[in-house]
Amino acid sequence: MINPAELELLQQALATLAKGFEKLPEFTPAFDADAASDVLQLVAERMQDNYPYYHPQYAGQMLKPPHPVARIAYAMSLWVNPNNHALDGGKASSALEKECIVELGRMYGWDAPLGHLTGGGTMANLEALWVAGRRHPGKRVIASQQAHYTHSRISDVLGMPFSAVPVGDRGRMDLAATEAMLEAGDVGTVVATIGNTGLGAVDRLEEILELADKYDARVHADAAYGGYFGLASELRDETRAAYDSLPEVDSIVVDPHKHGLQPYGCGCVLFKNPDDGRFYKHDSPFTYFSSAELHLGEISLECSRPGAAAVALWATQQMFPLETRGQLAEWLDSGLLAAQEFWQRLTNSDYYQPLMRPELDIVVYAVNAANAKQASDRARRVFSLAAENELHLAMIELPVDLVQAFLPELEADAKTMTCLRSVLMKPEHRTWIDKIMTILEDCAARVSG
Ligand SMILES: *Cc1c(COP(=O)(O)O)cnc(C)c1O
């Protein structure tokens, strides 16, 4: 789990950091190392009670450890503890954040976007919808039924009306239903999900942009999970088309803490039109005195933010530039191929039926049974039994008619059905498919008995 080289690199980085402060009179804050040692042993033991997110046999939720370079850069910066609200609190790390934003913007073909890092995708989406509401006051927000639940909740927080658009068999927003809602005339913003969290389905952005243009609505792309996959080479044509249309949207949310190899606390919101920044205007009486240069707090709803997140992201983007055919793209491709192989293996299995062919690296699968209730029960039992065998999966509750598109013989004796879900987001997952399938088949044989 732990590579000792990481600790050595952290020490070296800290030694270089300390050199920058050598002109000051010597001062090292004291602390009781013995007392801290006891507490740290205690907390390390408590932390053993986690799923093994770093291991390929964790094939459940969207969770993985950050890349070591991000972890070390983040840890190193904690000795400074920069605050990227204002340049007074995070001078160097604010500069790093602005450079990261330029690179992230370029990934979407934007040369000078307005943007900043956030605590995560939720805060980033909140800012995007808040600006959207300023541009279209009183108007409705619409997003797919499979969009992240955060959109309906955020709309509620912002006092904006919200409606969910039904999805088709592939898990994407239905275009006819989208148009019908736009026709009603009260829609200001369409949220397109570029990789939904449950199914990994990518909304058809090209067509959504055309519709939004026709009805004068704004388009926000929630690419919190899927935002990096435009770098990959293994996307199918339809999925690729959505990514190729991303430069046309008004705002984008991407989570570096999902596929960008970062520790939690790193989301990002980008606006194509820098003029969107004027909505953030405020007059803080106590910050922003150190320079006339942009303080990130002037374009962010959150005030204090960890500069460490920018430091970690900058280090990662140095080592793994956001380019097609780079190492990051190769890892994303590995996840895409792992998902496609896993889907194929499940298709060939007697015990499982995968749903839609994966567009990204998420596979959703049902346990075969006569009816929805039995299938749900079996999925829950496979989930528990697999965990006992150190294979960790996730579950998803889906409308039964969505499942029936793939299991036409299934009797629908319930409105929803529990399926299994695996996000194959670690590059190593591809070489673990055999092992994962062996455990899955064994568990299914036992619960189907
Ligand atoms: C994860 C996710 C969110 C929420 O982001 P957090 O970083 O968890 O706050 C929003 N939308 C999508 C599509 C996501 O995958």
Side-chain angles (χ1 to χ4, degrees):
M1 182 187 178
I2 292 146
N3 185 335
E6 285 187 44
L7 300 176
E8 228 169 274
L9 292 179
L10 173 60
Q11 261 185 337
Q12 289 166 9
L14 282 171
T16 302
L17 172 68
K19 283 206 181 100
F21 300 90
E22 270 173 353
K23 279 196 210 136
L24 287 154
E26 168 58 30
F27 170 67
T28 306
F31 86 111
D32 184 344
D34 289 335
S37 163
D38 293 344
V39 172
L40 286 168
Q41 286 306 309
L42 206 63
V43 75
E45 276 167 34
R46 293 291 296 266
M47 285 296 286
Q48 291 172 355
D49 186 23
N50 269 301
Y51 292 108
Y53 307 118
Y54 75 98
H55 198 280
Q57 276 184 210
Y58 184 86
Q61 309 281 7
M62 217 168 261
L63 293 161
K64 67 174 174 182
H67 189 275
V69 79
R71 178 156 56 207
I72 295 164
Y74 196 105
M76 181 266 285
S77 78
L78 293 180
W79 269 262
V80 175
N81 195 28
N83 181 342
N84 275 15
H85 173 223
L87 294 171
D88 314 53
K91 202 163 151 239
S93 51
S94 291
L96 297 179
E97 178 164 338
K98 289 174 194 171
E99 291 177 36
C100 286
I101 294 297
V102 169
E103 294 302 319
L104 285 163
R106 278 198 192 126
M107 184 162 66
Y108 304 113
W110 293 352
D111 280 333
L114 177 87
H116 60 87
L117 302 180
T118 61
T122 303
M123 271 310 297
N125 277 304
L126 180 123
E127 296 200 16
L129 292 187
W130 174 64
V131 168
R134 290 302 184 91
R135 290 282 184 194
H136 294 275
K139 292 280 182 87
R140 185 171 296 277
V141 175
I142 61 172
S144 145
Q145 261 170 6
Q146 285 294 326
H148 200 281
Y149 65 85
T150 198
H151 292 286
S152 70
R153 207 160 59 176
I154 287 170
S155 298
D156 190 40
V157 169
L158 294 170
M160 297 161 83
F162 174 89
S163 299
V165 185
V167 297
D169 291 353
R170 314 276 300 272
R172 302 152 164 179
M173 206 153 113
D174 183 84
L175 294 171
T178 307
E179 177 149 27
M181 285 185 187
L182 283 161
E183 256 167 4
D186 70 337
V187 174
T189 305
V190 184
V191 177
T193 306
I194 306 305
N196 59 41
T197 320
L199 307 166
V202 177
D203 283 339
R204 294 171 64 181
L205 188 57
E206 225 181 336
E207 291 83 350
I208 290 170
L209 281 159
E210 267 172 39
L211 288 174
D213 186 48
K214 186 168 158 195
Y215 295 94
D216 196 27
R218 187 180 169 93
V219 177
H220 167 60
D222 181 3
Y225 146 66
Y228 285 92
F229 280 99
L231 300 174
S233 321
E234 296 290 341
L235 296 177
R236 287 196 314 265
D237 291 348
E238 266 186 331
T239 310
R240 167 52 59 194
Y243 280 91
D244 289 347
S245 300
L246 266 177
E248 312 307 320
V249 306
D250 296 292
S251 53
I252 299 178
V253 161
V254 58
D255 260 356
H257 70 203
K258 291 218 175 109
H259 265 300
L261 312 169
Q262 298 310 294
Y264 284 111
C266 194
C268 174
V269 62
L270 299 168
F271 298 96
K272 182 165 64 181
N273 181 357
D275 181 51
D276 281 342
R278 69 188 160 90
F279 298 114
Y280 287 91
K281 196 166 163 36
H282 64 91
D283 265 319
S284 162
F286 41 78
T287 45
Y288 314 147
F289 291 126
S290 55
S291 81
E293 231 183 294
L294 176 73
H295 298 257
L296 288 162
E298 293 174 70
I299 55 156
S300 161
L301 285 185
E302 286 171 282
C303 294
S304 294
R305 289 184 301 116
V311 174
L313 184 60
W314 190 88
T316 309
Q317 289 185 183
Q318 276 302 108
M319 193 162 166
F320 306 108
L322 303 176
E323 54 196 26
T324 51
R325 277 177 267 283
Q327 176 66 77
L328 183 60
E330 212 174 283
W331 283 332
L332 292 163
D333 275 327
S334 177
L336 293 173
L337 294 172
Q340 286 166 31
E341 284 168 27
F342 187 45
W343 183 88
Q344 193 58 54
R345 295 285 295 269
L346 290 164
T347 302
N348 300 341
S349 160
D350 290 336
Y351 295 110
Y352 296 98
Q353 172 64 47
L355 308 193
M356 62 284 290
R357 202 181 255 280
E359 282 191 82
L360 300 178
D361 57 7
I362 301 176
V363 184
V364 174
Y365 42 111
V367 187
N368 287 333
N371 54 54
K373 279 189 182 149
Q374 190 182 41
S376 294
D377 178 58
R378 285 181 179 175
R380 291 194 201 104
R381 284 162 62 205
V382 167
F383 173 85
S384 303
L385 200 55
E388 283 168 31
N389 289 278
E390 290 299 342
L391 172 66
H392 303 279
L393 311 168
M395 290 184 283
I396 181 170
E397 197 68 19
L398 290 171
V400 81
D401 51 341
L402 187 65
V403 180
Q404 275 181 312
F406 303 91
L407 278 166
E409 251 110 87
L410 184 89
E411 184 204 330
D413 58 348
K415 277 209 170 78
T416 65
M417 182 174 133
T418 312
C419 292
L420 295 164
R421 171 170 162 271
S422 291
V423 186
L424 301 178
M425 71 192 307
K426 285 181 269 275
E428 299 83 2
H429 268 136
R430 208 175 157 203
T431 52
W432 285 73
I433 299 289
D434 261 340
K435 179 92 179 118
I436 291 172
M437 268 320 286
T438 306
I439 301 176
L440 273 178
E441 294 270 323
D442 179 53
C443 292
R446 285 159 66 190
V447 309
S448 309

